[in-house]
Amino acid sequence: MKELVEYIARAVVDHPDAVQVTQVEEDGRTILKVQVADEDRGKIIGRQGRVAEAIRTLLRVAAIKQGTRATLQID
Amino acid sequence: MEKPEPASLEISAKTVDEAVEIALKELNLSREQVKVEVLKEGKKGLWGLGTESARVRVTAQLEGPNLEAVAVEVCHQLLRFMGIKAQVTAVDPPPTVTTPVSLDIRTDDSGILIGRRGETLAALQFIINLMVGRRLHGEAGVSLDVEGYRHRHYESLQNMALRVAERVTATGRPVTLEPMPARERRVIHLALADRPDVSTQSTGEGDARRVEIRPKQ
């Protein structure tokens, strides 16, 4: 799941080196925290949140395949 | 640093056609090599009052074997990271001129990959186009299908459009369809484009945008 979010995030921002994804387990669910350069926040969220929403949709599939639930958090 | 944005321009002019023409000159491309989004239609106004200029966004349309290879690679990687075993192949030739690359995905997980009302497939397609477009600097225009799901869905939309068109002609009354995403509305517009008896028009905003089928006088 972490790899998925990293792969997408690095490809859509202007500063891929600044992308950091951390995976935390909390109450039986997985939280993926994404950190990007300040000026890249808009890129990862997208117009009307479309990019973040699409990442969440794909993440849901990755989580189901691993038998867990995952949340995407953009810091 | 290399500029990561796609070759894209926003131009204002008196009319949409004029704005497109200016943008094509600037980009040094022909009409077939670009995708045009009309941001504002523009208004003529009356004796110079209420005149509004038209605004368009023109983006270079990518094509060719490189686009195909990158699209397959990105799709393959995404599916791998999602934990879905699949085979990705480019459909040759692509089904329409406006779709330079069409990928077909074969997998045992087709249900989960398509998602409710196709929303997972739509998200995957959106992300692939974003990633490929950024990598190659242009409009990628990749369309995805899972074992012919889209194809069958589009066929049923076309059939529905034809049935409704018959009804509109018979009753002489316009019919407004359910809200649909842009790609599906396009299928309806194209299915009825050559009909002498009806015309189509999209109305409403965002998720509520829907196609209206009207009798032609």
Side-chain angles (χ1 to χ4, degrees):
Chain A
M1 288 182 281
K2 189 179 165 212
E3 281 173 315
L4 175 71
V5 176
E6 264 171 358
Y7 181 59
I8 300 172
R10 294 224 162 100
V12 302
V13 298
D14 288 336
H15 306 282
D17 294 342
V19 172
Q20 270 196 346
V21 182
T22 38
Q23 187 165 334
V24 205
E25 306 294 329
E26 219 169 80
D27 304 328
R29 57 192 301 157
T30 309
I31 301 170
L32 285 131
K33 294 186 182 177
V34 190
Q35 278 178 299
V36 297
D38 275 350
E39 59 266 42
D40 276 336
R41 280 182 60 84
K43 292 262 162 60
I44 193 93
I45 294 166
R47 232 183 300 163
Q48 294 173 343
R50 274 192 79 187
V51 178
E53 206 41 56
I55 298 175
R56 286 197 175 99
T57 304
L58 300 186
L59 181 62
R60 193 180 311 141
V61 174
I64 292 171
K65 289 303 281 182
Q66 297 196 9
T68 174
R69 283 169 54 182
T71 321
L72 183 76
Q73 200 175 302
I74 297 165
D75 285 341
Chain B
M1 202 175 81
E2 203 180 0
K3 198 163 176 279
E5 295 300 325
S8 177
L9 263 186
E10 282 187 28
I11 298 282
S12 296
K14 257 185 247 161
T15 63
V16 168
D17 287 344
E18 218 170 287
V20 171
E21 205 174 303
I22 295 168
L24 291 178
K25 249 182 218 157
E26 287 279 322
L27 293 167
N28 204 13
L29 293 169
S30 68
R31 183 65 186 82
E32 295 76 41
Q33 294 172 297
V34 297
K35 180 187 146 191
V36 175
E37 291 165 84
V38 178
L39 305 174
K40 235 168 54 187
E41 286 280 357
K43 277 186 209 144
K44 257 217 179 112
L46 205 56
W47 297 303
L49 289 173
T51 310
E52 261 181 33
S53 56
R55 190 166 180 81
V56 298
R57 184 186 296 131
V58 176
T59 312
Q61 179 83 57
L62 298 165
E63 58 185 356
N66 186 34
L67 169 64
E68 197 172 284
V70 172
V72 170
E73 185 214 309
V74 169
C75 182
H76 194 260
Q77 283 286 44
L78 285 169
L79 291 171
R80 192 165 74 85
F81 290 142
M82 285 160 72
I84 289 191
K85 286 203 186 77
Q87 270 188 310
V88 182
T89 46
V91 181
D92 253 333
T96 61
V97 192
T98 48
T99 315
V101 176
S102 177
L103 303 182
D104 195 42
I105 303 170
R106 307 214 150 256
T107 174
D108 292 338
D109 286 320
S110 56
I112 182 176
L113 189 55
I114 292 166
R116 210 186 309 134
R117 297 180 63 198
E119 69 172 359
T120 310
L121 189 59
L124 185 62
Q125 178 169 305
F126 174 71
I127 290 290
I128 289 174
N129 276 300
L130 186 65
M131 290 175 71
V132 174
R134 278 185 62 95
R135 202 190 297 182
L136 300 179
H137 309 170
E139 178 73 29
V142 177
S143 80
L144 288 188
D145 206 346
V146 177
E147 291 173 9
Y149 161 81
R150 270 257 164 86
H151 186 73
R152 285 195 303 276
H153 183 53
Y154 284 177
E155 259 180 9
S156 73
L157 281 176
Q158 279 166 359
N159 290 335
M160 184 267 290
L162 296 175
R163 276 198 314 272
V164 174
E166 293 301 327
R167 203 167 81 216
V168 167
T169 304
T171 62
R173 288 213 195 109
V175 171
T176 307
L177 305 176
E178 291 292 300
M180 283 173 206
R183 270 168 203 275
E184 298 185 8
R185 291 197 309 272
R186 210 167 149 268
V187 172
I188 307 280
H189 290 308
L190 287 177
L192 302 178
D194 293 334
R195 301 265 306 210
D197 54 341
V198 294
S199 66
T200 58
Q201 169 94 44
S202 288
T203 55
E205 297 293 325
D207 286 345
R209 210 157 155 78
R210 35 172 77 193
V211 179
E212 191 184 4
I213 302 176
R214 299 174 184 156
K216 242 184 221 171
Q217 8 278 28

